[in-house]
PDB file of all heavy atoms in Angstrom:
ATOM      1  N   PRO A 250      -2.813 -37.877  -5.304  1.00 93.00           N
ATOM      2  CA  PRO A 250      -1.360 -37.777  -5.277  1.00 93.00           C
ATOM      3  C   PRO A 250      -0.827 -36.662  -4.379  1.00 93.00           C
ATOM      4  O   PRO A 250      -1.276 -35.522  -4.449  1.00 93.00           O
ATOM      5  CB  PRO A 250      -0.998 -37.531  -6.746  1.00 93.00           C
ATOM      6  CG  PRO A 250      -2.077 -38.224  -7.497  1.00 93.00           C
ATOM      7  CD  PRO A 250      -3.327 -37.993  -6.687  1.00 93.00           C
ATOM      8  N   ASN A 251       0.103 -37.051  -3.507  1.00 93.00           N
ATOM      9  CA  ASN A 251       0.833 -36.151  -2.613  1.00 93.00           C
ATOM     10  C   ASN A 251      -0.017 -35.508  -1.517  1.00 93.00           C
ATOM     11  O   ASN A 251       0.434 -34.578  -0.856  1.00 93.00           O
ATOM     12  CB  ASN A 251       1.576 -35.066  -3.400  1.00 93.00           C
ATOM     13  CG  ASN A 251       2.701 -35.641  -4.241  1.00 93.00           C
ATOM     14  OD1 ASN A 251       3.327 -36.629  -3.865  1.00 93.00           O
ATOM     15  ND2 ASN A 251       2.952 -35.041  -5.382  1.00 93.00           N
ATOM     16  N   THR A 252      -1.240 -35.989  -1.326  1.00 96.00           N
ATOM     17  CA  THR A 252      -1.990 -35.586  -0.139  1.00 96.00           C
ATOM     18  C   THR A 252      -1.430 -36.352   1.059  1.00 96.00           C
ATOM     19  O   THR A 252      -0.723 -37.351   0.894  1.00 96.00           O
ATOM     20  CB  THR A 252      -3.484 -35.908  -0.288  1.00 96.00           C
ATOM     21  OG1 THR A 252      -3.635 -37.326  -0.438  1.00 96.00           O
ATOM     22  CG2 THR A 252      -4.088 -35.177  -1.470  1.00 96.00           C
ATOM     23  N   PRO A 253      -1.724 -35.906   2.286  1.00 97.00           N
ATOM     24  CA  PRO A 253      -1.232 -36.643   3.447  1.00 97.00           C
ATOM     25  C   PRO A 253      -1.610 -38.124   3.448  1.00 97.00           C
ATOM     26  O   PRO A 253      -0.801 -38.977   3.828  1.00 97.00           O
ATOM     27  CB  PRO A 253      -1.868 -35.898   4.621  1.00 97.00           C
ATOM     28  CG  PRO A 253      -2.006 -34.495   4.131  1.00 97.00           C
ATOM     29  CD  PRO A 253      -2.366 -34.639   2.687  1.00 97.00           C
ATOM     30  N   LEU A 254      -2.837 -38.447   3.021  1.00 98.00           N
ATOM     31  CA  LEU A 254      -3.231 -39.855   2.968  1.00 98.00           C
ATOM     32  C   LEU A 254      -2.365 -40.633   1.982  1.00 98.00           C
ATOM     33  O   LEU A 254      -1.984 -41.786   2.237  1.00 98.00           O
ATOM     34  CB  LEU A 254      -4.701 -39.977   2.584  1.00 98.00           C
ATOM     35  CG  LEU A 254      -5.720 -39.667   3.683  1.00 98.00           C
ATOM     36  CD1 LEU A 254      -7.131 -39.634   3.109  1.00 98.00           C
ATOM     37  CD2 LEU A 254      -5.633 -40.685   4.815  1.00 98.00           C
ATOM     38  N   ASP A 255      -2.028 -40.027   0.863  1.00 98.00           N
ATOM     39  CA  ASP A 255      -1.176 -40.672  -0.131  1.00 98.00           C
ATOM     40  C   ASP A 255       0.246 -40.844   0.391  1.00 98.00           C
ATOM     41  O   ASP A 255       0.877 -41.889   0.174  1.00 98.00           O
ATOM     42  CB  ASP A 255      -1.171 -39.842  -1.418  1.00 98.00           C
ATOM     43  CG  ASP A 255      -0.262 -40.434  -2.485  1.00 98.00           C
ATOM     44  OD1 ASP A 255      -0.549 -41.548  -2.959  1.00 98.00           O
ATOM     45  OD2 ASP A 255       0.740 -39.782  -2.838  1.00 98.00           O
ATOM     46  N   LEU A 256       0.763 -39.833   1.087  1.00 98.00           N
ATOM     47  CA  LEU A 256       2.115 -39.924   1.641  1.00 98.00           C
ATOM     48  C   LEU A 256       2.205 -41.036   2.673  1.00 98.00           C
ATOM     49  O   LEU A 256       3.188 -41.792   2.716  1.00 98.00           O
ATOM     50  CB  LEU A 256       2.519 -38.585   2.267  1.00 98.00           C
ATOM     51  CG  LEU A 256       2.652 -37.394   1.316  1.00 98.00           C
ATOM     52  CD1 LEU A 256       2.987 -36.133   2.102  1.00 98.00           C
ATOM     53  CD2 LEU A 256       3.707 -37.658   0.251  1.00 98.00           C
ATOM     54  N   ALA A 257       1.172 -41.158   3.508  1.00 98.00           N
ATOM     55  CA  ALA A 257       1.157 -42.225   4.507  1.00 98.00           C
ATOM     56  C   ALA A 257       1.108 -43.594   3.840  1.00 98.00           C
ATOM     57  O   ALA A 257       1.830 -44.523   4.241  1.00 98.00           O
ATOM     58  CB  ALA A 257      -0.031 -42.045   5.444  1.00 98.00           C
ATOM     59  N   ALA A 258       0.273 -43.721   2.808  1.00 98.00           N
ATOM     60  CA  ALA A 258       0.161 -44.993   2.107  1.00 98.00           C
ATOM     61  C   ALA A 258       1.480 -45.379   1.440  1.00 98.00           C
ATOM     62  O   ALA A 258       1.872 -46.557   1.433  1.00 98.00           O
ATOM     63  CB  ALA A 258      -0.957 -44.920   1.071  1.00 98.00           C
ATOM     64  N   ALA A 259       2.177 -44.394   0.888  1.00 98.00           N
ATOM     65  CA  ALA A 259       3.461 -44.670   0.236  1.00 98.00           C
ATOM     66  C   ALA A 259       4.499 -45.133   1.243  1.00 98.00           C
ATOM     67  O   ALA A 259       5.298 -46.034   0.950  1.00 98.00           O
ATOM     68  CB  ALA A 259       3.940 -43.418  -0.494  1.00 98.00           C
ATOM     69  N   ALA A 260       4.501 -44.518   2.432  1.00 98.00           N
ATOM     70  CA  ALA A 260       5.434 -44.960   3.481  1.00 98.00           C
ATOM     71  C   ALA A 260       5.116 -46.388   3.917  1.00 98.00           C
ATOM     72  O   ALA A 260       6.018 -47.220   4.091  1.00 98.00           O
ATOM     73  CB  ALA A 260       5.372 -44.006   4.672  1.00 98.00           C
ATOM     74  N   HIS A 261       3.848 -46.686   4.082  1.00 98.00           N
ATOM     75  CA  HIS A 261       3.451 -48.044   4.462  1.00 98.00           C
ATOM     76  C   HIS A 261       3.833 -49.054   3.383  1.00 98.00           C
ATOM     77  O   HIS A 261       4.226 -50.186   3.693  1.00 98.00           O
ATOM     78  CB  HIS A 261       1.948 -48.091   4.732  1.00 98.00           C
ATOM     79  CG  HIS A 261       1.549 -47.420   6.003  1.00 98.00           C
ATOM     80  ND1 HIS A 261       0.319 -46.823   6.187  1.00 98.00           N
ATOM     81  CD2 HIS A 261       2.224 -47.240   7.173  1.00 98.00           C
ATOM     82  CE1 HIS A 261       0.248 -46.322   7.404  1.00 98.00           C
ATOM     83  NE2 HIS A 261       1.390 -46.548   8.016  1.00 98.00           N
ATOM     84  N   ALA A 262       3.725 -48.653   2.115  1.00 98.00           N
ATOM     85  CA  ALA A 262       4.109 -49.551   1.020  1.00 98.00           C
ATOM     86  C   ALA A 262       5.606 -49.859   1.044  1.00 98.00           C
ATOM     87  O   ALA A 262       6.034 -50.912   0.558  1.00 98.00           O
ATOM     88  CB  ALA A 262       3.720 -48.927  -0.324  1.00 98.00           C
ATOM     89  N   LEU A 263       6.381 -48.955   1.617  1.00 98.00           N
ATOM     90  CA  LEU A 263       7.819 -49.184   1.773  1.00 98.00           C
ATOM     91  C   LEU A 263       8.143 -49.980   3.036  1.00 98.00           C
ATOM     92  O   LEU A 263       9.313 -50.237   3.339  1.00 98.00           O
ATOM     93  CB  LEU A 263       8.556 -47.837   1.818  1.00 98.00           C
ATOM     94  CG  LEU A 263       8.592 -47.035   0.511  1.00 98.00           C
ATOM     95  CD1 LEU A 263       9.102 -45.620   0.762  1.00 98.00           C
ATOM     96  CD2 LEU A 263       9.451 -47.746  -0.535  1.00 98.00           C
ATOM     97  N   GLY A 264       7.093 -50.337   3.791  1.00 98.00           N
ATOM     98  CA  GLY A 264       7.294 -51.097   5.025  1.00 98.00           C
ATOM     99  C   GLY A 264       7.670 -50.231   6.211  1.00 98.00           C
ATOM    100  O   GLY A 264       8.241 -50.735   7.189  1.00 98.00           O
ATOM    101  N   LYS A 265       7.333 -48.944   6.163  1.00 98.00           N
ATOM    102  CA  LYS A 265       7.702 -48.005   7.225  1.00 98.00           C
ATOM    103  C   LYS A 265       6.462 -47.520   7.966  1.00 98.00           C
ATOM    104  O   LYS A 265       5.371 -47.431   7.393  1.00 98.00           O
ATOM    105  CB  LYS A 265       8.438 -46.790   6.636  1.00 98.00           C
ATOM    106  CG  LYS A 265       9.600 -47.160   5.727  1.00 98.00           C
ATOM    107  CD  LYS A 265      10.634 -48.008   6.437  1.00 98.00           C
ATOM    108  CE  LYS A 265      11.691 -48.535   5.475  1.00 98.00           C
ATOM    109  NZ  LYS A 265      12.657 -49.426   6.166  1.00 98.00           N
ATOM    110  N   ILE A 266       6.634 -47.173   9.231  1.00 98.00           N
ATOM    111  CA  ILE A 266       5.543 -46.536   9.965  1.00 98.00           C
ATOM    112  C   ILE A 266       5.421 -45.086   9.503  1.00 98.00           C
ATOM    113  O   ILE A 266       6.355 -44.503   8.930  1.00 98.00           O
ATOM    114  CB  ILE A 266       5.737 -46.615  11.493  1.00 98.00           C
ATOM    115  CG1 ILE A 266       6.926 -45.740  11.944  1.00 98.00           C
ATOM    116  CG2 ILE A 266       5.925 -48.043  11.959  1.00 98.00           C
ATOM    117  CD1 ILE A 266       6.549 -44.605  12.834  1.00 98.00           C
ATOM    118  N   TRP A 267       4.252 -44.498   9.753  1.00 98.00           N
ATOM    119  CA  TRP A 267       4.020 -43.098   9.367  1.00 98.00           C
ATOM    120  C   TRP A 267       3.644 -42.295  10.605  1.00 98.00           C
ATOM    121  O   TRP A 267       2.815 -42.726  11.416  1.00 98.00           O
ATOM    122  CB  TRP A 267       2.913 -42.985   8.333  1.00 98.00           C
ATOM    123  CG  TRP A 267       2.650 -41.575   7.875  1.00 98.00           C
ATOM    124  CD1 TRP A 267       1.607 -40.768   8.210  1.00 98.00           C
ATOM    125  CD2 TRP A 267       3.485 -40.796   7.003  1.00 98.00           C
ATOM    126  NE1 TRP A 267       1.716 -39.548   7.602  1.00 98.00           N
ATOM    127  CE2 TRP A 267       2.871 -39.530   6.854  1.00 98.00           C
ATOM    128  CE3 TRP A 267       4.687 -41.046   6.336  1.00 98.00           C
ATOM    129  CZ2 TRP A 267       3.415 -38.526   6.063  1.00 98.00           C
ATOM    130  CZ3 TRP A 267       5.231 -40.036   5.546  1.00 98.00           C
ATOM    131  CH2 TRP A 267       4.606 -38.798   5.418  1.00 98.00           C
ATOM    132  N   MET A 268       4.250 -41.131  10.757  1.00 98.00           N
ATOM    133  CA  MET A 268       3.928 -40.202  11.836  1.00 98.00           C
ATOM    134  C   MET A 268       3.199 -39.011  11.218  1.00 98.00           C
ATOM    135  O   MET A 268       3.792 -38.212  10.494  1.00 98.00           O
ATOM    136  CB  MET A 268       5.194 -39.751  12.569  1.00 98.00           C
ATOM    137  CG  MET A 268       4.930 -38.764  13.700  1.00 98.00           C
ATOM    138  SD  MET A 268       6.367 -38.484  14.775  1.00 98.00           S
ATOM    139  CE  MET A 268       7.488 -37.605  13.655  1.00 98.00           C
ATOM    140  N   GLN A 269       1.902 -38.905  11.492  1.00 98.00           N
ATOM    141  CA  GLN A 269       1.092 -37.840  10.913  1.00 98.00           C
ATOM    142  C   GLN A 269       1.176 -36.569  11.743  1.00 98.00           C
ATOM    143  O   GLN A 269       1.065 -36.599  12.972  1.00 98.00           O
ATOM    144  CB  GLN A 269      -0.370 -38.295  10.814  1.00 98.00           C
ATOM    145  CG  GLN A 269      -1.333 -37.211  10.358  1.00 98.00           C
ATOM    146  CD  GLN A 269      -0.999 -36.663   8.986  1.00 98.00           C
ATOM    147  OE1 GLN A 269      -0.530 -37.384   8.107  1.00 98.00           O
ATOM    148  NE2 GLN A 269      -1.233 -35.369   8.776  1.00 98.00           N
ATOM    149  N   SER A 270       1.346 -35.436  11.075  1.00 96.00           N
ATOM    150  CA  SER A 270       1.347 -34.136  11.748  1.00 96.00           C
ATOM    151  C   SER A 270      -0.080 -33.707  12.061  1.00 96.00           C
ATOM    152  O   SER A 270      -0.947 -33.727  11.180  1.00 96.00           O
ATOM    153  CB  SER A 270       2.012 -33.071  10.869  1.00 96.00           C
ATOM    154  OG  SER A 270       3.369 -33.362  10.649  1.00 96.00           O
ATOM    155  N   VAL A 271      -0.322 -33.341  13.297  1.00 97.00           N
ATOM    156  CA  VAL A 271      -1.610 -32.797  13.727  1.00 97.00           C
ATOM    157  C   VAL A 271      -1.371 -31.354  14.151  1.00 97.00           C
ATOM    158  O   VAL A 271      -0.499 -31.084  14.978  1.00 97.00           O
ATOM    159  CB  VAL A 271      -2.202 -33.619  14.887  1.00 97.00           C
ATOM    160  CG1 VAL A 271      -3.431 -32.929  15.468  1.00 97.00           C
ATOM    161  CG2 VAL A 271      -2.570 -35.026  14.402  1.00 97.00           C
ATOM    162  N   SER A 272      -2.123 -30.422  13.563  1.00 95.00           N
ATOM    163  CA  SER A 272      -1.827 -29.007  13.780  1.00 95.00           C
ATOM    164  C   SER A 272      -3.104 -28.192  13.873  1.00 95.00           C
ATOM    165  O   SER A 272      -4.153 -28.589  13.367  1.00 95.00           O
ATOM    166  CB  SER A 272      -0.964 -28.474  12.634  1.00 95.00           C
ATOM    167  OG  SER A 272      -1.613 -28.667  11.379  1.00 95.00           O
ATOM    168  N   PHE A 273      -2.977 -27.028  14.508  1.00 96.00           N
ATOM    169  CA  PHE A 273      -4.122 -26.126  14.645  1.00 96.00           C
ATOM    170  C   PHE A 273      -4.057 -25.001  13.628  1.00 96.00           C
ATOM    171  O   PHE A 273      -4.919 -24.865  12.772  1.00 96.00           O
ATOM    172  CB  PHE A 273      -4.179 -25.578  16.070  1.00 96.00           C
ATOM    173  CG  PHE A 273      -5.238 -24.529  16.296  1.00 96.00           C
ATOM    174  CD1 PHE A 273      -6.532 -24.737  15.874  1.00 96.00           C
ATOM    175  CD2 PHE A 273      -4.938 -23.336  16.930  1.00 96.00           C
ATOM    176  CE1 PHE A 273      -7.528 -23.776  16.069  1.00 96.00           C
ATOM    177  CE2 PHE A 273      -5.907 -22.373  17.143  1.00 96.00           C
ATOM    178  CZ  PHE A 273      -7.206 -22.586  16.715  1.00 96.00           C
ATOM    179  N   GLN A 274      -3.022 -24.173  13.710  1.00 96.00           N
ATOM    180  CA  GLN A 274      -2.930 -23.017  12.815  1.00 96.00           C
ATOM    181  C   GLN A 274      -1.470 -22.629  12.644  1.00 96.00           C
ATOM    182  O   GLN A 274      -0.574 -23.195  13.274  1.00 96.00           O
ATOM    183  CB  GLN A 274      -3.720 -21.831  13.373  1.00 96.00           C
ATOM    184  CG  GLN A 274      -3.182 -21.275  14.677  1.00 96.00           C
ATOM    185  CD  GLN A 274      -3.995 -20.096  15.208  1.00 96.00           C
ATOM    186  OE1 GLN A 274      -4.849 -19.537  14.540  1.00 96.00           O
ATOM    187  NE2 GLN A 274      -3.726 -19.719  16.453  1.00 96.00           N
ATOM    188  N   ASP A 275      -1.210 -21.661  11.775  1.00 96.00           N
ATOM    189  CA  ASP A 275       0.138 -21.141  11.545  1.00 96.00           C
ATOM    190  C   ASP A 275       0.003 -19.660  11.212  1.00 96.00           C
ATOM    191  O   ASP A 275      -0.512 -19.299  10.154  1.00 96.00           O
ATOM    192  CB  ASP A 275       0.805 -21.897  10.400  1.00 96.00           C
ATOM    193  CG  ASP A 275       2.300 -21.625  10.294  1.00 96.00           C
ATOM    194  OD1 ASP A 275       2.719 -20.478  10.534  1.00 96.00           O
ATOM    195  OD2 ASP A 275       3.057 -22.562   9.971  1.00 96.00           O
ATOM    196  N   VAL A 276       0.446 -18.816  12.145  1.00 95.00           N
ATOM    197  CA  VAL A 276       0.362 -17.358  11.988  1.00 95.00           C
ATOM    198  C   VAL A 276       1.697 -16.786  12.426  1.00 95.00           C
ATOM    199  O   VAL A 276       2.077 -16.921  13.590  1.00 95.00           O
ATOM    200  CB  VAL A 276      -0.782 -16.760  12.839  1.00 95.00           C
ATOM    201  CG1 VAL A 276      -0.863 -15.253  12.618  1.00 95.00           C
ATOM    202  CG2 VAL A 276      -2.109 -17.417  12.490  1.00 95.00           C
ATOM    203  N   ARG A 277       2.410 -16.147  11.511  1.00 93.00           N
ATOM    204  CA  ARG A 277       3.786 -15.714  11.784  1.00 93.00           C
ATOM    205  C   ARG A 277       3.967 -14.216  11.564  1.00 93.00           C
ATOM    206  O   ARG A 277       4.357 -13.778  10.476  1.00 93.00           O
ATOM    207  CB  ARG A 277       4.763 -16.467  10.883  1.00 93.00           C
ATOM    208  CG  ARG A 277       4.576 -17.976  10.890  1.00 93.00           C
ATOM    209  CD  ARG A 277       5.630 -18.668  10.061  1.00 93.00           C
ATOM    210  NE  ARG A 277       5.344 -20.085   9.923  1.00 93.00           N
ATOM    211  CZ  ARG A 277       6.187 -20.976   9.416  1.00 93.00           C
ATOM    212  NH1 ARG A 277       7.367 -20.583   8.976  1.00 93.00           N
ATOM    213  NH2 ARG A 277       5.841 -22.250   9.328  1.00 93.00           N
ATOM    214  N   PRO A 278       3.720 -13.402  12.566  1.00 89.00           N
ATOM    215  CA  PRO A 278       3.949 -11.962  12.406  1.00 89.00           C
ATOM    216  C   PRO A 278       5.397 -11.627  12.069  1.00 89.00           C
ATOM    217  O   PRO A 278       5.659 -10.666  11.340  1.00 89.00           O
ATOM    218  CB  PRO A 278       3.552 -11.396  13.775  1.00 89.00           C
ATOM    219  CG  PRO A 278       2.618 -12.412  14.346  1.00 89.00           C
ATOM    220  CD  PRO A 278       3.114 -13.731  13.871  1.00 89.00           C
ATOM    221  N   ASN A 279       6.338 -12.433  12.589  1.00 88.00           N
ATOM    222  CA  ASN A 279       7.753 -12.125  12.323  1.00 88.00           C
ATOM    223  C   ASN A 279       8.143 -12.386  10.878  1.00 88.00           C
ATOM    224  O   ASN A 279       9.203 -11.954  10.421  1.00 88.00           O
ATOM    225  CB  ASN A 279       8.658 -12.905  13.270  1.00 88.00           C
ATOM    226  CG  ASN A 279       8.528 -14.408  13.113  1.00 88.00           C
ATOM    227  OD1 ASN A 279       7.608 -14.898  12.467  1.00 88.00           O
ATOM    228  ND2 ASN A 279       9.441 -15.141  13.729  1.00 88.00           N
ATOM    229  N   GLN A 280       7.315 -13.126  10.139  1.00 91.00           N
ATOM    230  CA  GLN A 280       7.556 -13.354   8.716  1.00 91.00           C
ATOM    231  C   GLN A 280       6.454 -12.747   7.843  1.00 91.00           C
ATOM    232  O   GLN A 280       6.505 -12.845   6.619  1.00 91.00           O
ATOM    233  CB  GLN A 280       7.654 -14.852   8.425  1.00 91.00           C
ATOM    234  CG  GLN A 280       8.816 -15.533   9.130  1.00 91.00           C
ATOM    235  CD  GLN A 280       8.845 -17.026   8.860  1.00 91.00           C
ATOM    236  OE1 GLN A 280       8.584 -17.480   7.747  1.00 91.00           O
ATOM    237  NE2 GLN A 280       9.172 -17.810   9.876  1.00 91.00           N
ATOM    238  N   ALA A 281       5.437 -12.160   8.484  1.00 93.00           N
ATOM    239  CA  ALA A 281       4.318 -11.507   7.793  1.00 93.00           C
ATOM    240  C   ALA A 281       3.572 -12.468   6.872  1.00 93.00           C
ATOM    241  O   ALA A 281       3.140 -12.102   5.774  1.00 93.00           O
ATOM    242  CB  ALA A 281       4.797 -10.283   7.018  1.00 93.00           C
ATOM    243  N   ILE A 282       3.401 -13.743   7.336  1.00 95.00           N
ATOM    244  CA  ILE A 282       2.638 -14.723   6.567  1.00 95.00           C
ATOM    245  C   ILE A 282       1.711 -15.492   7.507  1.00 95.00           C
ATOM    246  O   ILE A 282       1.943 -15.552   8.716  1.00 95.00           O
ATOM    247  CB  ILE A 282       3.544 -15.722   5.813  1.00 95.00           C
ATOM    248  CG1 ILE A 282       4.489 -16.429   6.796  1.00 95.00           C
ATOM    249  CG2 ILE A 282       4.299 -15.044   4.690  1.00 95.00           C
ATOM    250  CD1 ILE A 282       5.320 -17.508   6.159  1.00 95.00           C
ATOM    251  N   TYR A 283       0.659 -16.063   6.926  1.00 96.00           N
ATOM    252  CA  TYR A 283      -0.233 -16.903   7.720  1.00 96.00           C
ATOM    253  C   TYR A 283      -0.937 -17.905   6.822  1.00 96.00           C
ATOM    254  O   TYR A 283      -1.022 -17.722   5.605  1.00 96.00           O
ATOM    255  CB  TYR A 283      -1.266 -16.052   8.477  1.00 96.00           C
ATOM    256  CG  TYR A 283      -2.377 -15.478   7.629  1.00 96.00           C
ATOM    257  CD1 TYR A 283      -3.649 -16.054   7.601  1.00 96.00           C
ATOM    258  CD2 TYR A 283      -2.169 -14.344   6.843  1.00 96.00           C
ATOM    259  CE1 TYR A 283      -4.665 -15.521   6.819  1.00 96.00           C
ATOM    260  CE2 TYR A 283      -3.176 -13.812   6.064  1.00 96.00           C
ATOM    261  CZ  TYR A 283      -4.421 -14.403   6.051  1.00 96.00           C
ATOM    262  OH  TYR A 283      -5.431 -13.885   5.267  1.00 96.00           O
ATOM    263  N   ASP A 284      -1.411 -18.976   7.431  1.00 97.00           N
ATOM    264  CA  ASP A 284      -2.272 -19.949   6.757  1.00 97.00           C
ATOM    265  C   ASP A 284      -3.704 -19.713   7.224  1.00 97.00           C
ATOM    266  O   ASP A 284      -3.925 -19.300   8.365  1.00 97.00           O
ATOM    267  CB  ASP A 284      -1.876 -21.374   7.139  1.00 97.00           C
ATOM    268  CG  ASP A 284      -0.639 -21.871   6.428  1.00 97.00           C
ATOM    269  OD1 ASP A 284       0.371 -21.143   6.368  1.00 97.00           O
ATOM    270  OD2 ASP A 284      -0.673 -23.006   5.946  1.00 97.00           O
ATOM    271  N   GLU A 285      -4.669 -20.015   6.357  1.00 98.00           N
ATOM    272  CA  GLU A 285      -6.075 -19.954   6.761  1.00 98.00           C
ATOM    273  C   GLU A 285      -6.472 -21.330   7.298  1.00 98.00           C
ATOM    274  O   GLU A 285      -6.661 -22.281   6.534  1.00 98.00           O
ATOM    275  CB  GLU A 285      -6.961 -19.566   5.584  1.00 98.00           C
ATOM    276  CG  GLU A 285      -8.443 -19.536   5.924  1.00 98.00           C
ATOM    277  CD  GLU A 285      -8.752 -18.694   7.148  1.00 98.00           C
ATOM    278  OE1 GLU A 285      -8.685 -17.447   7.048  1.00 98.00           O
ATOM    279  OE2 GLU A 285      -9.054 -19.289   8.209  1.00 98.00           O
ATOM    280  N   ALA A 286      -6.594 -21.421   8.623  1.00 98.00           N
ATOM    281  CA  ALA A 286      -6.913 -22.696   9.269  1.00 98.00           C
ATOM    282  C   ALA A 286      -8.405 -23.012   9.245  1.00 98.00           C
ATOM    283  O   ALA A 286      -8.801 -24.128   9.598  1.00 98.00           O
ATOM    284  CB  ALA A 286      -6.417 -22.687  10.712  1.00 98.00           C
ATOM    285  N   GLU A 287      -9.230 -22.037   8.876  1.00 98.00           N
ATOM    286  CA  GLU A 287     -10.691 -22.195   8.861  1.00 98.00           C
ATOM    287  C   GLU A 287     -11.206 -22.635  10.239  1.00 98.00           C
ATOM    288  O   GLU A 287     -11.845 -23.678  10.382  1.00 98.00           O
ATOM    289  CB  GLU A 287     -11.127 -23.176   7.772  1.00 98.00           C
ATOM    290  CG  GLU A 287     -10.797 -22.700   6.363  1.00 98.00           C
ATOM    291  CD  GLU A 287     -11.314 -23.620   5.272  1.00 98.00           C
ATOM    292  OE1 GLU A 287     -11.912 -24.670   5.600  1.00 98.00           O
ATOM    293  OE2 GLU A 287     -11.119 -23.290   4.083  1.00 98.00           O
ATOM    294  N   ASN A 288     -10.910 -21.804  11.222  1.00 98.00           N
ATOM    295  CA  ASN A 288     -11.301 -22.096  12.610  1.00 98.00           C
ATOM    296  C   ASN A 288     -10.659 -23.422  13.032  1.00 98.00           C
ATOM    297  O   ASN A 288      -9.439 -23.525  12.941  1.00 98.00           O
ATOM    298  CB  ASN A 288     -12.812 -22.068  12.759  1.00 98.00           C
ATOM    299  CG  ASN A 288     -13.410 -20.718  12.379  1.00 98.00           C
ATOM    300  OD1 ASN A 288     -13.705 -20.464  11.215  1.00 98.00           O
ATOM    301  ND2 ASN A 288     -13.578 -19.834  13.365  1.00 98.00           N
ATOM    302  N   THR A 289     -11.426 -24.414  13.435  1.00 98.00           N
ATOM    303  CA  THR A 289     -10.819 -25.689  13.852  1.00 98.00           C
ATOM    304  C   THR A 289     -10.798 -26.730  12.731  1.00 98.00           C
ATOM    305  O   THR A 289     -10.466 -27.893  12.980  1.00 98.00           O
ATOM    306  CB  THR A 289     -11.562 -26.300  15.064  1.00 98.00           C
ATOM    307  OG1 THR A 289     -12.874 -26.741  14.644  1.00 98.00           O
ATOM    308  CG2 THR A 289     -11.671 -25.319  16.202  1.00 98.00           C
ATOM    309  N   GLN A 290     -11.120 -26.324  11.502  1.00 98.00           N
ATOM    310  CA  GLN A 290     -11.211 -27.315  10.419  1.00 98.00           C
ATOM    311  C   GLN A 290      -9.875 -28.001  10.167  1.00 98.00           C
ATOM    312  O   GLN A 290      -9.815 -29.217   9.951  1.00 98.00           O
ATOM    313  CB  GLN A 290     -11.703 -26.652   9.139  1.00 98.00           C
ATOM    314  CG  GLN A 290     -12.006 -27.634   8.009  1.00 98.00           C
ATOM    315  CD  GLN A 290     -13.200 -28.524   8.316  1.00 98.00           C
ATOM    316  OE1 GLN A 290     -14.287 -28.026   8.560  1.00 98.00           O
ATOM    317  NE2 GLN A 290     -12.995 -29.839   8.328  1.00 98.00           N
ATOM    318  N   ASN A 291      -8.777 -27.231  10.170  1.00 98.00           N
ATOM    319  CA  ASN A 291      -7.478 -27.847   9.936  1.00 98.00           C
ATOM    320  C   ASN A 291      -7.138 -28.852  11.027  1.00 98.00           C
ATOM    321  O   ASN A 291      -6.623 -29.938  10.747  1.00 98.00           O
ATOM    322  CB  ASN A 291      -6.386 -26.776   9.857  1.00 98.00           C
ATOM    323  CG  ASN A 291      -5.027 -27.388   9.579  1.00 98.00           C
ATOM    324  OD1 ASN A 291      -4.764 -27.892   8.488  1.00 98.00           O
ATOM    325  ND2 ASN A 291      -4.159 -27.381  10.580  1.00 98.00           N
ATOM    326  N   LEU A 292      -7.434 -28.504  12.263  1.00 98.00           N
ATOM    327  CA  LEU A 292      -7.162 -29.419  13.369  1.00 98.00           C
ATOM    328  C   LEU A 292      -7.967 -30.698  13.213  1.00 98.00           C
ATOM    329  O   LEU A 292      -7.448 -31.809  13.383  1.00 98.00           O
ATOM    330  CB  LEU A 292      -7.498 -28.729  14.696  1.00 98.00           C
ATOM    331  CG  LEU A 292      -7.310 -29.552  15.970  1.00 98.00           C
ATOM    332  CD1 LEU A 292      -5.872 -30.037  16.113  1.00 98.00           C
ATOM    333  CD2 LEU A 292      -7.717 -28.731  17.199  1.00 98.00           C
ATOM    334  N   ARG A 293      -9.241 -30.564  12.863  1.00 98.00           N
ATOM    335  CA  ARG A 293     -10.086 -31.749  12.720  1.00 98.00           C
ATOM    336  C   ARG A 293      -9.662 -32.586  11.510  1.00 98.00           C
ATOM    337  O   ARG A 293      -9.674 -33.817  11.559  1.00 98.00           O
ATOM    338  CB  ARG A 293     -11.551 -31.328  12.611  1.00 98.00           C
ATOM    339  CG  ARG A 293     -12.088 -30.792  13.934  1.00 98.00           C
ATOM    340  CD  ARG A 293     -13.553 -30.407  13.864  1.00 98.00           C
ATOM    341  NE  ARG A 293     -13.767 -29.133  13.199  1.00 98.00           N
ATOM    342  CZ  ARG A 293     -14.516 -28.953  12.130  1.00 98.00           C
ATOM    343  NH1 ARG A 293     -15.130 -29.992  11.570  1.00 98.00           N
ATOM    344  NH2 ARG A 293     -14.683 -27.755  11.600  1.00 98.00           N
TER     345      ARG A 293
END
């Protein structure tokens, strides 16, 4: 539930196309927050 695969499936069940986000990392010094991308794991 609510994983990207589930969200895509729910959109398809509504008869809609799905646009998946592909991303590398998120590091924001101006907000002093970051995500752990685990090297290229998030991208893959």
Side-chain angles (χ1 to χ4, degrees):
N251 293 328
T252 62
L254 283 172
D255 178 65
L256 295 177
H261 288 151
L263 291 169
K265 309 302 172 183
I266 68 116
W267 181 255
M268 179 168 68
Q269 174 60 35
S270 296
V271 171
S272 57
F273 174 49
Q274 65 180 349
D275 192 323
V276 182
R277 310 184 188 190
N279 62 347
Q280 297 178 40
I282 56 175
Y283 74 101
D284 283 47
E285 178 52 73
E287 296 184 358
N288 301 87
T289 69
Q290 188 67 58
N291 181 69
L292 178 59
R293 289 182 283 122

